[in-house]
Amino acid sequence: AVCCYPCRAFFRRGVSQPFRCVSGLGMCRVDNITRGNCKKCRFERCLGVGMKPELVNNRVKRKEREKIMLTKDYGEKEQEILKGDDKTEESILTTEDITKQMKDSKHGTNHLPNKILCAINNQPLQHTAQNDSFTAKVAKKIENQDLPDYNEKEGTNRVSVIKRNLADKNDDFQIDIESLVDTCFTEELGNIKPNSLPFKKRRTAHQFEFVTLAITKNQNLNVHFTLEEEFRLHDLIVRRDHLDEERLNYILNKGPMIVNSIWEQTALAIKKKEKITASEQHSDFSQECSRDLASSTYKDIFNEFRSLDSKIAQSCVYYSFPAAACLKMAMLDATKHIGLRNQTLFMGYSGQKYKELWDLYFPNMEHHQGIEMEDFAMFISPWARTLDDELFFRNTCTEVAQVLGSDLKLCVVYHTLLISSQPGNSPLVQNTSLRQLQMDLSLLLYRYLTTKHERDEAAKQAHSLIGMLDSLHRSGDIVMNRRIKMLPEEA
């Protein structure tokens, strides 16, 4: 497969390691920026373009097999060469042979035997003046390389060689590339003593420590949270606040008396430290208006949903709205300590209409303690059909509140992810475009968490939040369909 060097190195390291998708969907985006986020999806991408695990280190294994075969047949080939057989097959000239002959030359022999140097390419051995001159040149060249004594090392008496053709086609000979590499290292590094091991075996040696570290260091690219991603989070916050402002204007246009009644009863209950109570008629009206407006305008307000078909986007928001209402209850629990005014701003109530209602019904209450789920009368037990439903709803809100905390950016991106997800009864559960959007938002969620925690902890929290999506959808179903309705007050 055609790939870049980092992905090639990642695949070679990853064939023996188990990976887990950070989003749990197995559909994370893998490109030159995000490839370091999810190892599982990156490995699957490598497999998808044609990389094969069984071929990793295949060249090294093939070289080892060739080495064994050469060692096995070396004795027979050497005897055939020394006898001068005209049918000699191609043989291997090793550094051990050269070193041995050079030692002999110091005791009276001025050149290497023609039988060893010329027995290549199925050529007969001829003792000519030209061959003697060529042999002397090669011996002098090798002597200047200061080759190590391989007889003193175990397991290194065979090294790979290649053939090189000189300008004269008749002068074919073999050069030990690894010896030349030793020479290059010696010239470049100066006083550092070269290693006597073959170059390919030096990853476990430490004579060249900086080279060894550069080869063996496990580099895991961790791209920091980009300016574009940071801007995207701020953009989500602004668009959410705009949607809440549009929602309030829509409800005011359809039922101004109901809106003012809800705000007045809420302010009075908070001042008296009583349970916040609203009639079923007012609550249903407010929820239906909010759900209809969000379903019809979400695609136009949020850029993430503009690639979806209009009907798909509208159905997506409609089915996810109950879960989003439960998420707001969890956000109230997580921000009750920051004060009532800051809590309302955190929830997105920051427009001009909200400011007017606040000044009208909550004067001088900026530092009042925030509210939580327990402050609403509708959640006084028994409020659901079964006690298990009540406990499940309560536990889900508590767990989500603990993970989200009072982090506005985290809450907003998670709220958008929740809207894009679907409950089990939705016909859009397997929609491809929605799943792609969920993967993109899940990755943004994880990327933001990496700015606050280590990567392992960020992945753990991302998995927890993504796993709670189904619980929030079930909690939404409990509130919408399994709640005990409050009886209207008698006149």
Side-chain angles (χ1 to χ4, degrees):
V2 179
C3 68
C4 61
Y5 285 104
C7 287
R8 183 181 72 173
F10 166 80
F11 186 76
R12 293 184 65 181
R13 295 193 305 267
V15 291
S16 60
Q17 300 181 17
F19 295 127
R20 185 176 65 175
C21 178
V22 297
S23 66
L25 300 175
M27 298 177 61
C28 299
R29 175 183 292 179
V30 180
D31 53 31
N32 59 341
I33 296 178
T34 63
R35 64 190 179 193
N37 294 335
C38 181
K39 296 182 180 180
K40 173 65 175 178
C41 293
R42 184 181 184 184
F43 189 79
E44 293 297 331
R45 178 72 179 275
C46 293
L47 295 176
V49 299
M51 296 189 187
K52 298 181 179 180
E54 62 269 16
L55 296 182
V56 173
N57 294 329
N58 186 57
R59 184 174 62 178
V60 177
K61 296 176 182 178
R62 177 165 51 83
K63 290 294 184 181
E64 293 178 354
R65 290 195 299 268
E66 292 178 357
K67 179 179 176 181
I68 294 175
M69 294 176 62
L70 290 174
T71 305
K72 188 175 182 181
D73 299 338
Y74 174 71
E76 299 177 0
K77 290 185 178 181
E78 187 176 24
Q79 291 179 2
E80 292 177 0
I81 292 173
L82 295 176
K83 290 179 180 179
D85 189 356
D86 292 341
K87 297 182 180 181
T88 304
E89 297 180 354
E90 181 180 2
S91 62
I92 301 298
L93 177 62
T94 66
T95 306
E96 178 187 1
D97 302 325
I98 297 173
T99 306
K100 182 177 180 181
Q101 297 302 327
M102 289 185 63
K103 287 184 178 181
D104 294 340
S105 66
K106 295 180 181 180
H107 298 286
T109 305
N110 295 326
H111 62 274
L112 298 177
N114 263 347
K115 292 181 179 181
I116 296 180
L117 290 174
C118 298
I120 57 177
N121 298 327
N122 294 326
Q123 296 178 357
L125 301 176
Q126 299 179 0
H127 296 276
T128 62
Q130 181 181 3
N131 288 337
D132 291 340
S133 175
F134 171 71
T135 302
K137 292 180 181 179
V138 175
K140 184 176 181 181
K141 182 177 182 64
I142 294 175
E143 184 177 4
N144 292 334
Q145 292 183 7
D146 191 19
L147 296 174
D149 188 358
Y150 281 84
N151 288 330
E152 299 178 0
K153 300 291 181 181
E154 296 181 3
T156 59
N157 55 353
R158 291 286 175 189
V159 292
S160 62
V161 295
I162 66 172
K163 296 178 182 179
R164 292 290 180 84
N165 294 329
L166 297 177
D168 188 357
K169 294 183 180 180
N170 294 327
D171 296 334
D172 294 340
F173 69 102
Q174 298 173 339
I175 299 176
D176 188 347
I177 291 299
E178 294 180 358
S179 298
L180 294 182
V181 172
D182 285 333
T183 303
C184 293
F185 266 85
T186 303
E187 293 177 356
E188 182 177 353
L189 301 178
N191 297 328
I192 300 180
K193 183 179 178 181
N195 199 322
S196 60
L197 292 176
F199 180 71
K200 293 180 181 179
K201 296 183 179 181
R202 291 185 183 173
R203 290 193 177 187
T204 57
H206 298 282
Q207 276 71 12
F208 304 103
E209 292 188 2
F210 64 95
V211 177
T212 304
L213 291 175
I215 293 175
T216 60
K217 184 177 180 181
N218 182 16
Q219 297 180 351
N220 194 354
L221 183 61
N222 184 13
V223 181
H224 296 287
F225 202 65
T226 63
L227 182 62
E228 290 79 6
E229 292 172 321
E230 184 71 25
F231 176 80
R232 186 179 178 186
L233 292 182
H234 286 281
D235 184 66
L236 284 175
I237 296 173
V238 173
R239 293 178 186 276
R240 184 209 62 166
D241 293 351
H242 174 69
L243 177 62
D244 283 329
E245 181 72 8
E246 291 294 322
R247 180 182 66 85
L248 179 60
N249 291 332
Y250 181 75
I251 299 175
L252 281 173
N253 291 333
K254 298 196 70 172
M257 298 298 296
I258 295 178
V259 174
N260 284 276
S261 174
I262 293 176
W263 276 75
E264 183 179 5
Q265 291 178 11
T266 302
L268 185 61
I270 292 176
K271 291 177 181 178
K272 294 182 177 181
K273 297 182 179 181
E274 298 176 350
K275 297 291 184 181
I276 301 174
T277 305
S279 67
E280 288 290 342
Q281 181 182 2
H282 291 177
S283 298
D284 291 342
F285 173 80
S286 178
Q287 290 293 327
E288 289 175 2
C289 290
S290 300
R291 192 174 191 177
D292 293 340
L293 180 70
S295 300
S296 59
T297 61
Y298 218 88
K299 180 178 184 295
D300 298 328
I301 295 177
F302 288 86
N303 294 330
E304 287 76 9
F305 289 78
R306 290 183 179 177
S307 60
L308 301 177
D309 180 77
S310 298
K311 293 183 178 179
I312 293 178
Q314 184 174 358
S315 300
C316 170
V317 179
Y318 185 84
Y319 281 109
S320 300
F321 187 84
C326 295
L327 177 60
K328 287 194 173 184
M329 285 296 172
M331 292 168 61
L332 287 177
D333 285 354
T335 58
K336 60 184 178 181
H337 63 282
I338 64 176
L340 186 60
R341 181 55 179 166
N342 290 333
Q343 189 180 46
T344 56
L345 296 175
F346 186 93
M347 300 299 294
Y349 310 147
S350 58
Q352 182 61 33
K353 289 292 184 182
Y354 281 111
K355 186 176 184 304
E356 293 176 0
L357 290 173
W358 175 270
D359 293 339
L360 179 62
Y361 295 106
F362 294 91
N364 303 321
M365 294 183 64
E366 289 80 3
H367 303 290
H368 196 280
Q369 183 178 357
I371 59 177
E372 56 182 331
M373 188 180 72
E374 298 295 337
D375 294 329
F376 290 87
M378 62 178 294
F379 294 113
I380 298 176
S381 183
W383 61 269
R385 294 183 182 179
T386 65
L387 181 60
D388 291 340
D389 288 342
E390 294 182 10
L391 293 177
F392 183 85
F393 182 88
R394 173 73 266 182
N395 293 335
T396 299
C397 291
T398 302
E399 292 175 3
V400 173
Q402 289 176 351
V403 179
L404 294 179
S406 56
D407 190 329
L408 178 59
K409 297 176 183 177
L410 180 59
C411 290
V412 171
V413 68
Y414 188 63
H415 179 270
T416 311
L417 174 61
L418 178 62
I419 291 293
S420 68
S421 64
Q422 294 295 287
N425 61 343
S426 171
L428 303 176
V429 173
Q430 299 298 330
N431 185 272
T432 304
S433 56
L434 273 181
R435 290 179 65 86
Q436 182 64 34
L437 176 59
Q438 294 167 24
M439 181 187 67
D440 181 54
L441 292 172
S442 298
L443 179 59
L444 180 62
L445 175 71
Y446 166 71
R447 295 274 297 141
Y448 175 70
L449 286 172
T450 57
T451 64
K452 301 175 58 181
H453 311 283
E454 295 294 334
R455 297 188 64 176
D456 292 341
E457 180 63 23
K460 181 180 178 181
Q461 291 196 15
H463 277 289
S464 298
L465 288 172
I466 294 172
M468 294 176 188
L469 293 176
D470 290 336
S471 298
L472 285 170
H473 283 296
R474 180 183 169 185
S475 299
D477 179 68
I478 293 173
V479 173
M480 296 294 294
N481 304 316
R482 299 178 60 82
R483 183 168 60 88
I484 301 174
K485 299 291 186 178
M486 298 176 63
L487 296 176
E489 297 180 0
E490 296 182 359

